[in-house]
Amino acid sequence: MSQNLSQIVTGRSESHLVPWPGTTLRVHEKVLAPLTHLAQRAAKAGFELGVVSAFRGFSDQLRIWNLKATGKRPVLDSAGKRVDIFSISSIELAHSIMRWSALPGASRHHWGTDLDLIDLKALPKDYKVQLI
């Protein structure tokens, strides 16, 4: 694997990214055209495609992981209930965190190709999206 490719797949490079128009989010350059087409098709069908998460670098993924591992951010089970992280082993903690969050360096958000999408028209005006 080339040095640049290994940096990209682990979230340590941003050379492959372009902005998603109208936001501060960035996506892989090869995702921009198909995503724009999807947004246009969605609009014709009555939806307002919203990208709420796109590229996330290694340090951002590490921050999320550490907040969960230290109890500063909730760790949830498959049913969305909080896990008591102080009553489980470190291996169980890692598995519990990975239910919703990838290991830093292993997230496909690093690539700028994994996106979290919503229909903005389906949300109340004052709703704040929360990624778990």
Side-chain angles (χ1 to χ4, degrees):
M1 182 182 311
S2 75
Q3 177 67 17
N4 191 42
L5 183 56
S6 67
Q7 296 292 305
I8 287 172
V9 299
T10 58
R12 296 175 190 267
S13 173
E14 301 179 16
S15 64
H16 59 295
L17 303 172
V18 295
W20 175 242
T23 75
T24 59
L25 301 172
R26 293 167 296 147
V27 299
H28 192 287
E29 60 193 356
K30 292 185 178 179
V31 168
L32 185 60
L35 185 59
T36 300
H37 182 70
L38 177 64
Q40 292 166 346
R41 298 277 313 259
K44 287 180 183 175
F47 299 97
E48 184 181 351
L49 185 116
V51 180
V52 294
S53 180
F55 170 78
R56 187 178 309 128
F58 181 89
S59 60
D60 289 332
Q61 194 69 22
L62 180 61
R63 181 184 54 77
I64 291 167
W65 183 275
N66 287 338
L67 288 171
K68 289 183 176 189
T70 59
K72 294 176 182 161
R73 191 168 180 175
V75 175
L76 305 177
D77 65 16
S78 295
K81 295 186 189 243
R82 188 181 284 255
V83 174
D84 179 4
I85 66 167
F86 301 107
S87 68
I88 59 177
S89 71
S90 58
I91 296 295
E92 291 170 317
L93 174 59
H95 285 250
S96 294
I97 294 172
M98 285 190 290
R99 182 169 285 113
W100 298 103
S101 299
L103 283 167
S107 174
R108 291 189 320 218
H109 279 281
H110 296 332
W111 308 349
T113 59
D114 263 27
L115 312 168
D116 297 319
L117 308 174
I118 59 172
D119 175 12
L120 295 170
K121 284 186 177 181
L123 301 177
K125 295 283 184 216
D126 59 345
Y127 183 80
K128 180 170 172 25
V129 175
Q130 297 179 25
L131 301 175
I132 58 169

